[in-house]
Amino acid sequence: MNQDESDDEWKAQCRRQLERPTLDRIKYGFAWVHKPVLDDGASRAFDSMVDYRQWCHENLPSYLGYRLASTDHAYE
Amino acid sequence: MPTSKFTPEQAVELAAAFSKHQVDYLFLGKSGAILLGYPSVTQDVDLFLPTNRANAERVVTAVTELGFVLEPEIVRKIIACADFVQLKNGPFDLDLVHAPDGIESYDAAKARSVLQDGFPVTNIRDIIASKRASGRQKDLLDLHLLEQFRVEYERRQTRPIETALDKALERPFPTSPS
């Protein structure tokens, strides 16, 4: 499947989902999967989004995707 | 720590509790996009809140009523409108966001928001702008799919241009004088 075919399939999937009632979107749109570190602590608060992003970057496993995408944005 | 997903029943309860306590809020992030019809899956619910102490106090009341157990320090942070508060001690994962990346102000986002079957949701363009500005790997991966969803979503929202004939047909049919 090339990119155009993939995009067309995704758009068709979007159109089908738009036909579904909002509560069905919620029913099938939320799932709980344990995320190491993120789900292991109690509630937490950050005074600034910069603090939050930095905490994610420094503490969460990279495979969770919470780290910054490029070194231009990295806090290192 | 919640171990169950956010359910439609909980969504209705959340909307009812926030309405009862007159909380000003918008669904944000992927959870907001899902409500709008984005075919994806997420774990947590993100709510965008104005930086308003009175509103934050009402949030504390509402989420406590929903079953969240808030430590005193977390209550203090919510009322102080900390930029990001992640609630883990409740029936589902809930993130309270006072200053999302990429959106200039709550008031501006509210003016562009939509009411999706009773759920106030940030405009899809603001959701995308926020994800783009975050710079996170997982958000950037979503951008292409979100943009394509936006096109389909906005196409559906756009009403066809009314013609003179459409308008004439909507008028009450003239009755004959008796």
Side-chain angles (χ1 to χ4, degrees):
Chain A
M1 182 184 292
N2 63 34
Q3 186 62 46
D4 286 345
E5 289 170 337
S6 175
D7 286 351
D8 288 345
E9 192 167 291
W10 171 248
K11 289 174 187 171
Q13 190 176 337
C14 290
R15 289 192 291 272
R16 288 195 297 272
Q17 186 73 346
L18 284 164
E19 293 288 340
R20 297 190 175 105
T22 304
L23 292 181
D24 280 358
R25 297 173 190 172
I26 294 171
K27 182 177 182 181
Y28 299 111
F30 290 85
W32 198 89
V33 179
H34 175 256
K35 294 180 182 175
V37 184
L38 189 68
D39 293 330
D40 291 337
S43 300
R44 50 180 78 91
F46 301 88
D47 289 335
S48 73
M49 290 304 286
V50 172
D51 291 346
Y52 168 60
R53 302 284 182 228
Q54 185 168 0
W55 180 85
C56 290
H57 193 79
E58 292 174 354
N59 292 279
L60 299 182
S62 62
Y63 62 83
L64 291 181
Y66 283 73
R67 292 188 179 178
L68 298 174
S70 82
T71 51
D72 293 341
H73 296 92
Y75 294 104
E76 298 165 334
Chain B
M1 180 176 76
T3 54
S4 64
K5 65 174 192 168
F6 184 59
T7 65
E9 293 77 15
Q10 288 170 334
V12 171
E13 287 172 12
L14 185 153
F18 276 44
S19 174
K20 174 184 167 186
H21 295 288
Q22 297 183 303
V23 175
D24 198 7
Y25 72 105
L26 298 170
F27 281 87
L28 179 70
K30 193 183 273 189
S31 58
I34 286 169
L35 264 65
L36 295 179
Y38 182 55
S40 187
V41 177
T42 191
Q43 176 164 327
D44 49 12
V45 177
D46 304 313
L47 300 183
F48 184 9
L49 303 168
T51 49
N52 174 310
R53 183 187 173 96
N55 191 70
E57 289 172 346
R58 295 194 291 270
V59 169
V60 170
T61 304
V63 298
T64 301
E65 194 170 289
L66 288 170
F68 285 86
V69 179
L70 307 179
E71 302 91 342
E73 175 64 7
I74 292 296
V75 171
R76 195 181 69 74
K77 290 288 188 180
I78 294 173
I79 292 175
C81 299
D83 276 6
F84 190 85
V85 181
Q86 201 162 44
L87 300 183
K88 291 291 181 185
N89 298 333
F92 50 88
D93 287 341
L94 181 62
D95 293 345
L96 306 176
V97 191
H98 282 103
D101 296 312
I103 302 178
E104 70 273 38
S105 72
Y106 180 84
D107 289 344
K110 182 81 175 181
R112 295 188 289 262
S113 68
V114 298
L115 195 60
Q116 179 69 40
D117 286 338
F119 301 105
V121 185
T122 308
N123 189 289
I124 187 63
R125 288 178 180 250
D126 282 330
I127 290 173
I128 292 171
S130 174
K131 291 212 167 276
R132 180 171 284 117
S134 81
R136 296 189 302 188
Q137 294 160 340
K138 73 187 195 81
D139 291 336
L140 299 184
L141 285 172
D142 269 335
L143 281 179
H144 178 66
L145 298 177
L146 273 166
E147 280 292 355
Q148 291 189 318
F149 166 73
R150 179 187 63 77
V151 171
E152 296 301 324
Y153 170 79
E154 291 182 344
R155 182 177 292 150
R156 180 162 298 226
Q157 306 306 311
T158 306
R159 291 189 56 172
I161 298 169
E162 288 184 345
T163 64
L165 177 61
D166 291 332
K167 288 181 179 176
L169 289 172
E170 283 178 2
R171 281 193 214 120
F173 197 76
T175 53
S176 307
S178 53

